[in-house]
Structure formats: C-alpha cells, structure tokens
Amino acid sequence: MSQEWDAGRLDSDLEGVAFDTLAVRAGQHRTPEGEHGDPMFFTSSYVFRTAADAAARFAGEVPGNVYSRYTNPTVRSFEERIAALEGAEQAVATATGMAAIMAVVMSLCSAGDHVLVSRSVFGSTISLFEKYFKRFGVEVDYVPLADLSAWDAAIKSNTKLLFVESPSNPLAELVDITALSEIAHAKGAMLVVDNCFCTPALQQPLKLGADIVVHSATKFIDGQGRCMGGVVAGRGEQMKEIVGFLRTAGPTLSPFNAWIFLKGLETLNLRMKAHCANAQQLAEWLEQQDGIEKVHYAGLKSHPQHELAQRQQKGFGAVVSFEVKGGKEGAWRFIDATRLISITANLGDSKTTITHPSTTSHGRLAPQEREAAGIRDSLIRIAVGLEDVADLQADLARGLAAL
C-alpha cells in the first residue's frame, strides 16, 4: 500500500472494543478501492517508485512490502487480528502449526540451550524435538504437564523455554499457566503455550503470564478443515527474531490461506461456544454408557482439573477422549461401526471426527513414550463438531453396540 494513502474514516475505530468486534474487524486496512471485505493480495513481489525507495525498503529504513516470503498485506491482516485477540504486541503467521513451533525454537534457541516439554503434547511435536532439535544440539527433557514441582525441579541454568499444550492432545490435561509462568520467570526461562485446542476465544495464555502463544490455525481458527497454517504471538522483541527466521527459511503462510483464516476468525467465538456445548453433552452421555471405561474432558466434574479449567478457560473445548473395553481391537471395532462421524485425525472442523491416537497421531512414538503420555490402545478421540447432538449420540451408540 502506498505510504501516501490515508484511509481515514474508511478504517474502523477499534479503541476499547470487545473480543467479537476485534474478531470481525481487527487488522483490516482498506485500500484506495474502498473495499468492505478483506482483500486478497496474490503477489510474490512488490514494485517501488525509485531505486532509492527499493534500497530503503530492503534495508528496513522505511516500512513497506518487499517480498511475500516475509510480508504480505493479507497475511499481515491475519497476524494483526490474532495479535489483537491474544493480547499480543505482534503475531507472525507460518505455513503450518508445526512450522510455528519450529520457528519459535529455531529463532530463540541455540545449540547448548535446554528446553522442557510437557509429556502431553502432540506426537509430531515430540518427533520435532527428538529427531531434529536434539540433532542440532538443543537439550530436551520431558515433564508431566500438571506437576508444577516437577517443572521447577527440571529447570537447569541453561533452560531457555518451557513448552506446553494446555489443554493437551488428546487427554485434555491442563497446567496452571499462571503458576508455571512464575516458575519459568523466576529462573530466567520463557513459557510457550500451544493454545490450539482453546483458541483465544476460550483462553488467552499471555494474559495468564505466558510469553509466547502458538496455534495450528488449521484447526479451530479455520473451523472447516480447508487450509493449513500456523501463527506465533507474543512480545515484539521475540517476534522480531521469528520474522527474521521466516525471512530467511521461508515457512510462509500463503495469502489465500490467510484470507480463509480471517473469515474463520469472524465466527470463532460463536463456533467455539457451540463446539463446547455439544462436547459437554456428549461427554456427559458417554460417561453413563456401558463399555466406556473412562472419559477425558475437563468439563466433567470427574475430571481432576475441572476447577482449574473453570478458572483459566472460558469454556472446556471440543475434544473429548474416552477409553473403551477391549483394548485396540475394541477401539477399532467402535470406530469402524460409526457411519456419520468422519474417521480422520484432523480436528477443529465443523464436522465431528474420530480417531485412534495410538495408531495415528501418536503412532510414531515408541510404546514407552505413548505409555508415559497416557496414550493407551483403548483410547479414542473425538473432536466434536456442529452437528445435532442427538445424531452424534446415535452414531456413537453404533460404536458401543460393536464392543
């Protein structure tokens, strides 16, 4: 956009507005065309008025776009909207959620640094730390998510980051984010929270004391299983390093995907409320069924961290996991008997999905690693969508009848 252009009244005044208003309007900077919707900028490069203008932009002496590997107006709108919703100084978008995690560690850690990771994280996250970060000299240890004393004891003099998912995938375990951030900061470390399951509509980790938030925007931020992307949010000091990593390494979000995510954010709060309501009903129903040995959902009073979830979240999320009788064979029979719910490992979709974590999302982990993370062969995960709950119950009843 030309530096001479002033949108004036065409841009919305967002001072003091609430979450839902930010989700619809934050980050939009209207062009001279006066468009009401968010525009898509499909361009790899940008033109300059003069050679001097080009040199100044490349040198960072004046603001403006240079190349879409690291700046694009549509992507920037998405970044600004996420930053507004998370209460961050800045956000940086990436090609996938895993790329967001990679960008954080590659930007902020060096060989010899130590990272503490919750045992209750996504299988690919463990693989990233184990197979790749360790190879480049980053020390990695794992800690039970909810055990604050274990986190405190495991921090070393060279610990740079503490990395958690809260709620975790797939068991919906939580950690007291405020308490853990105080432990990290007392010893000079930063706390990184994967907020994918809650989104900023249900939880804002930065306001609870975390330093950095990461998302797989592929999930609830999109909301319809269409596009892949990720985003990191936090203080400008750290985000500057992550921008530099993207500029060089290039795990960049496409403008089209950014536009899709902007549309997803407009309905985020409404969708998350509906997801949570459906998940609560299903979790309560499952807990009463024969053949179900245990249900993992923080919205249940039986969940050991129900009170903590009430305190630091605005809702309990859409992911419900449960253990069935019959081990792996029973779990597979249950899944195969369903006829409505989609058998897929993705989540955050308007369509409910069902998967067997120990042979899909966590299948590449060694058996002892799955056991340490609580991923048993009898475990099934459903990511509850927006269908009628009675229809979902009827389909899960088919699974129960197959046990």
Side-chain angles (χ1 to χ4, degrees):
M1 186 184 301
S2 170
Q3 297 302 307
E4 298 175 2
W5 163 247
D6 179 7
R9 176 60 184 85
L10 293 181
D11 283 353
S12 300
D13 181 355
L14 299 178
E15 184 176 358
V17 302
F19 183 95
D20 283 345
T21 305
L22 291 173
V24 172
R25 292 185 175 270
Q28 184 173 11
H29 305 285
R30 292 190 170 90
T31 74
E33 301 294 339
E35 70 284 345
H36 189 233
D38 297 283
M40 285 184 278
F41 287 86
F42 291 127
T43 181
S44 57
S45 64
Y46 306 86
V47 297
F48 310 99
R49 295 178 180 278
T50 64
D53 180 31
R57 295 238 205 127
F58 270 83
E61 296 170 355
V62 297
N65 297 305
V66 175
Y67 195 59
S68 276
R69 187 171 70 242
Y70 44 97
T71 60
N72 177 278
T74 310
V75 175
R76 183 170 61 246
S77 291
F78 170 62
E79 292 170 336
E80 291 183 5
R81 192 168 297 179
I82 285 289
L85 296 179
E86 284 286 9
E89 291 180 3
Q90 185 178 353
V92 182
T94 60
T96 66
M98 293 308 303
I101 298 172
M102 179 183 70
V104 169
V105 178
M106 293 293 287
S107 302
L108 302 180
C109 294
S110 302
D113 285 338
H114 178 236
V115 179
L116 284 176
V117 182
S118 163
R119 286 179 183 163
S120 305
V121 293
F122 180 48
S124 292
T125 302
I126 294 176
S127 296
L128 183 62
F129 279 97
E130 283 293 306
K131 295 182 179 180
Y132 299 102
F133 292 146
K134 279 188 174 181
R135 184 188 301 176
F136 292 98
V138 175
E139 299 175 25
V140 182
D141 287 310
Y142 298 90
V143 181
L145 176 60
D147 191 342
L148 294 174
S149 61
W151 285 101
D152 192 32
I155 295 176
K156 303 177 181 179
S157 60
N158 61 333
T159 301
K160 193 69 172 287
L161 300 176
L162 278 60
F163 184 93
V164 302
E165 290 176 10
S166 184
S168 69
N169 180 15
L171 297 178
E173 291 181 287
L174 285 76
V175 69
D176 187 326
I177 294 173
T178 298
L180 187 57
S181 68
E182 291 171 354
I183 290 170
H185 298 159
K187 297 190 176 181
M190 291 182 286
L191 175 60
V192 182
V193 176
D194 186 329
N195 198 29
C196 175
F197 274 29
C198 273
T199 80
L202 301 184
Q203 177 175 262
Q204 294 168 309
L206 299 179
K207 294 182 178 180
L208 296 171
D211 299 281
I212 294 171
V213 169
V214 298
H215 286 280
S216 172
T218 311
K219 310 301 191 296
F220 295 103
I221 288 174
D222 176 3
Q224 296 187 44
R226 298 165 293 191
C227 293
M228 302 190 77
V231 64
V232 185
R235 293 192 300 273
E237 178 184 357
Q238 282 79 37
M239 296 307 103
K240 180 180 179 181
E241 296 297 323
I242 294 171
V243 168
F245 174 76
L246 258 71
R247 179 170 184 158
T248 303
T252 308
L253 181 65
S254 79
F256 179 79
N257 289 11
W259 186 85
I260 291 290
F261 297 150
L262 284 166
K263 298 300 102 182
L265 287 174
E266 292 180 2
T267 60
L268 178 64
N269 204 21
L270 289 171
R271 288 187 288 105
M272 294 309 296
K273 288 177 180 177
H275 280 297
C276 290
N278 281 0
Q280 184 73 37
Q281 289 188 60
L282 278 185
E284 292 174 358
W285 178 81
L286 283 166
E287 203 170 37
Q288 302 302 316
Q289 305 306 308
D290 292 335
I292 302 296
E293 295 185 328
K294 188 173 184 179
V295 180
H296 302 272
Y297 185 66
L300 297 173
K301 292 181 180 179
S302 59
H303 192 283
Q305 296 167 303
H306 177 69
E307 183 179 345
L308 174 61
Q310 287 181 308
R311 192 165 70 244
Q312 71 181 17
Q313 298 172 198
K314 296 178 181 177
F316 301 111
V319 178
V320 178
S321 294
F322 53 96
E323 298 172 38
V324 299
K325 295 178 180 178
K328 173 185 170 182
E329 291 73 21
W332 279 22
R333 286 197 303 271
F334 186 108
I335 292 170
D336 290 348
T338 60
R339 290 293 178 267
L340 173 69
I341 299 171
S342 307
I343 303 175
T344 178
N346 193 35
L347 58 93
D349 202 308
S350 57
K351 302 178 183 69
T352 298
T353 66
I354 189 167
T355 191
H356 185 241
S358 71
T359 54
T360 57
S361 59
H362 293 71
R364 293 186 180 182
L365 301 182
Q368 61 271 22
E369 292 175 323
R370 288 198 299 272
E371 182 64 28
I375 311 299
R376 300 181 178 86
D377 287 344
S378 59
L379 186 71
I380 294 172
R381 187 196 76 191
I382 54 174
V384 184
L386 303 178
E387 303 95 339
D388 189 285
V389 175
D391 294 330
L392 296 176
Q393 288 175 344
D395 202 35
L396 293 175
R398 296 185 182 105
L400 289 165
L403 294 176

